[in-house]
PDB file of all heavy atoms in Angstrom:
ATOM      1  N   ASN I 330     -27.570  -5.302   5.192  1.00 90.00           N
ATOM      2  CA  ASN I 330     -28.434  -6.467   4.925  1.00 90.00           C
ATOM      3  C   ASN I 330     -29.842  -6.215   5.491  1.00 90.00           C
ATOM      4  O   ASN I 330     -29.991  -5.806   6.651  1.00 90.00           O
ATOM      5  CB  ASN I 330     -27.849  -7.722   5.565  1.00 90.00           C
ATOM      6  CG  ASN I 330     -26.558  -8.160   4.919  1.00 90.00           C
ATOM      7  OD1 ASN I 330     -26.574  -8.758   3.829  1.00 90.00           O
ATOM      8  ND2 ASN I 330     -25.426  -7.848   5.530  1.00 90.00           N
ATOM      9  N   GLU I 331     -30.827  -6.474   4.651  1.00 92.00           N
ATOM     10  CA  GLU I 331     -32.206  -6.271   5.064  1.00 92.00           C
ATOM     11  C   GLU I 331     -33.006  -7.551   4.830  1.00 92.00           C
ATOM     12  O   GLU I 331     -32.822  -8.203   3.800  1.00 92.00           O
ATOM     13  CB  GLU I 331     -32.845  -5.105   4.290  1.00 92.00           C
ATOM     14  CG  GLU I 331     -32.139  -3.801   4.450  1.00 92.00           C
ATOM     15  CD  GLU I 331     -32.705  -2.737   3.520  1.00 92.00           C
ATOM     16  OE1 GLU I 331     -33.898  -2.412   3.667  1.00 92.00           O
ATOM     17  OE2 GLU I 331     -31.945  -2.264   2.649  1.00 92.00           O
ATOM     18  N   PHE I 332     -33.866  -7.881   5.774  1.00 95.00           N
ATOM     19  CA  PHE I 332     -34.721  -9.065   5.644  1.00 95.00           C
ATOM     20  C   PHE I 332     -36.131  -8.662   6.039  1.00 95.00           C
ATOM     21  O   PHE I 332     -36.342  -8.042   7.084  1.00 95.00           O
ATOM     22  CB  PHE I 332     -34.219 -10.184   6.539  1.00 95.00           C
ATOM     23  CG  PHE I 332     -35.073 -11.443   6.474  1.00 95.00           C
ATOM     24  CD1 PHE I 332     -35.020 -12.261   5.372  1.00 95.00           C
ATOM     25  CD2 PHE I 332     -35.888 -11.786   7.532  1.00 95.00           C
ATOM     26  CE1 PHE I 332     -35.792 -13.418   5.320  1.00 95.00           C
ATOM     27  CE2 PHE I 332     -36.663 -12.939   7.492  1.00 95.00           C
ATOM     28  CZ  PHE I 332     -36.614 -13.756   6.372  1.00 95.00           C
ATOM     29  N   TYR I 333     -37.102  -8.987   5.179  1.00 97.00           N
ATOM     30  CA  TYR I 333     -38.487  -8.596   5.424  1.00 97.00           C
ATOM     31  C   TYR I 333     -39.385  -9.838   5.423  1.00 97.00           C
ATOM     32  O   TYR I 333     -39.227 -10.734   4.587  1.00 97.00           O
ATOM     33  CB  TYR I 333     -38.964  -7.652   4.333  1.00 97.00           C
ATOM     34  CG  TYR I 333     -38.173  -6.367   4.208  1.00 97.00           C
ATOM     35  CD1 TYR I 333     -37.099  -6.292   3.314  1.00 97.00           C
ATOM     36  CD2 TYR I 333     -38.497  -5.246   4.966  1.00 97.00           C
ATOM     37  CE1 TYR I 333     -36.362  -5.118   3.189  1.00 97.00           C
ATOM     38  CE2 TYR I 333     -37.763  -4.069   4.840  1.00 97.00           C
ATOM     39  CZ  TYR I 333     -36.709  -4.010   3.949  1.00 97.00           C
ATOM     40  OH  TYR I 333     -35.984  -2.848   3.836  1.00 97.00           O
ATOM     41  N   VAL I 334     -40.336  -9.841   6.347  1.00 98.00           N
ATOM     42  CA  VAL I 334     -41.442 -10.808   6.315  1.00 98.00           C
ATOM     43  C   VAL I 334     -42.674 -10.011   5.885  1.00 98.00           C
ATOM     44  O   VAL I 334     -43.062  -9.055   6.555  1.00 98.00           O
ATOM     45  CB  VAL I 334     -41.660 -11.436   7.703  1.00 98.00           C
ATOM     46  CG1 VAL I 334     -42.797 -12.487   7.625  1.00 98.00           C
ATOM     47  CG2 VAL I 334     -40.380 -12.090   8.204  1.00 98.00           C
ATOM     48  N   LEU I 335     -43.267 -10.398   4.755  1.00 98.00           N
ATOM     49  CA  LEU I 335     -44.280  -9.582   4.124  1.00 98.00           C
ATOM     50  C   LEU I 335     -45.565 -10.377   3.854  1.00 98.00           C
ATOM     51  O   LEU I 335     -45.539 -11.606   3.778  1.00 98.00           O
ATOM     52  CB  LEU I 335     -43.753  -9.032   2.789  1.00 98.00           C
ATOM     53  CG  LEU I 335     -42.449  -8.238   2.854  1.00 98.00           C
ATOM     54  CD1 LEU I 335     -41.847  -8.095   1.470  1.00 98.00           C
ATOM     55  CD2 LEU I 335     -42.692  -6.875   3.470  1.00 98.00           C
ATOM     56  N   ILE I 336     -46.673  -9.646   3.715  1.00 98.00           N
ATOM     57  CA  ILE I 336     -47.947 -10.287   3.403  1.00 98.00           C
ATOM     58  C   ILE I 336     -48.713  -9.428   2.397  1.00 98.00           C
ATOM     59  O   ILE I 336     -48.634  -8.191   2.437  1.00 98.00           O
ATOM     60  CB  ILE I 336     -48.755 -10.520   4.697  1.00 98.00           C
ATOM     61  CG1 ILE I 336     -49.988 -11.388   4.426  1.00 98.00           C
ATOM     62  CG2 ILE I 336     -49.168  -9.178   5.342  1.00 98.00           C
ATOM     63  CD1 ILE I 336     -50.666 -11.895   5.685  1.00 98.00           C
ATOM     64  N   SER I 337     -49.434 -10.071   1.494  1.00 98.00           N
ATOM     65  CA  SER I 337     -50.209  -9.366   0.476  1.00 98.00           C
ATOM     66  C   SER I 337     -51.583 -10.008   0.318  1.00 98.00           C
ATOM     67  O   SER I 337     -51.711 -11.231   0.417  1.00 98.00           O
ATOM     68  CB  SER I 337     -49.471  -9.405  -0.872  1.00 98.00           C
ATOM     69  OG  SER I 337     -50.245  -8.802  -1.898  1.00 98.00           O
ATOM     70  N   THR I 338     -52.572  -9.158   0.048  1.00 98.00           N
ATOM     71  CA  THR I 338     -53.910  -9.657  -0.256  1.00 98.00           C
ATOM     72  C   THR I 338     -54.250  -9.496  -1.738  1.00 98.00           C
ATOM     73  O   THR I 338     -55.345  -9.881  -2.168  1.00 98.00           O
ATOM     74  CB  THR I 338     -54.977  -8.911   0.573  1.00 98.00           C
ATOM     75  OG1 THR I 338     -54.866  -7.491   0.299  1.00 98.00           O
ATOM     76  CG2 THR I 338     -54.765  -9.141   2.076  1.00 98.00           C
ATOM     77  N   ASP I 339     -53.309  -8.951  -2.522  1.00 98.00           N
ATOM     78  CA  ASP I 339     -53.606  -8.731  -3.933  1.00 98.00           C
ATOM     79  C   ASP I 339     -52.497  -9.225  -4.871  1.00 98.00           C
ATOM     80  O   ASP I 339     -52.405  -8.787  -6.018  1.00 98.00           O
ATOM     81  CB  ASP I 339     -53.896  -7.251  -4.207  1.00 98.00           C
ATOM     82  CG  ASP I 339     -52.703  -6.332  -3.937  1.00 98.00           C
ATOM     83  OD1 ASP I 339     -51.639  -6.835  -3.524  1.00 98.00           O
ATOM     84  OD2 ASP I 339     -52.838  -5.098  -4.117  1.00 98.00           O
ATOM     85  N   PHE I 340     -51.648 -10.105  -4.379  1.00 98.00           N
ATOM     86  CA  PHE I 340     -50.564 -10.661  -5.216  1.00 98.00           C
ATOM     87  C   PHE I 340     -51.140 -11.521  -6.330  1.00 98.00           C
ATOM     88  O   PHE I 340     -51.935 -12.430  -6.080  1.00 98.00           O
ATOM     89  CB  PHE I 340     -49.614 -11.464  -4.365  1.00 98.00           C
ATOM     90  CG  PHE I 340     -48.519 -12.181  -5.144  1.00 98.00           C
ATOM     91  CD1 PHE I 340     -47.486 -11.473  -5.718  1.00 98.00           C
ATOM     92  CD2 PHE I 340     -48.588 -13.554  -5.336  1.00 98.00           C
ATOM     93  CE1 PHE I 340     -46.500 -12.129  -6.449  1.00 98.00           C
ATOM     94  CE2 PHE I 340     -47.608 -14.220  -6.075  1.00 98.00           C
ATOM     95  CZ  PHE I 340     -46.555 -13.491  -6.627  1.00 98.00           C
TER      96      PHE I 340
END
Side-chain angles (χ1 to χ4, degrees):
N330 293 281
E331 301 173 62
F332 179 73
Y333 301 93
V334 182
L335 304 164
I336 189 167
S337 175
T338 58
D339 63 359
F340 175 73

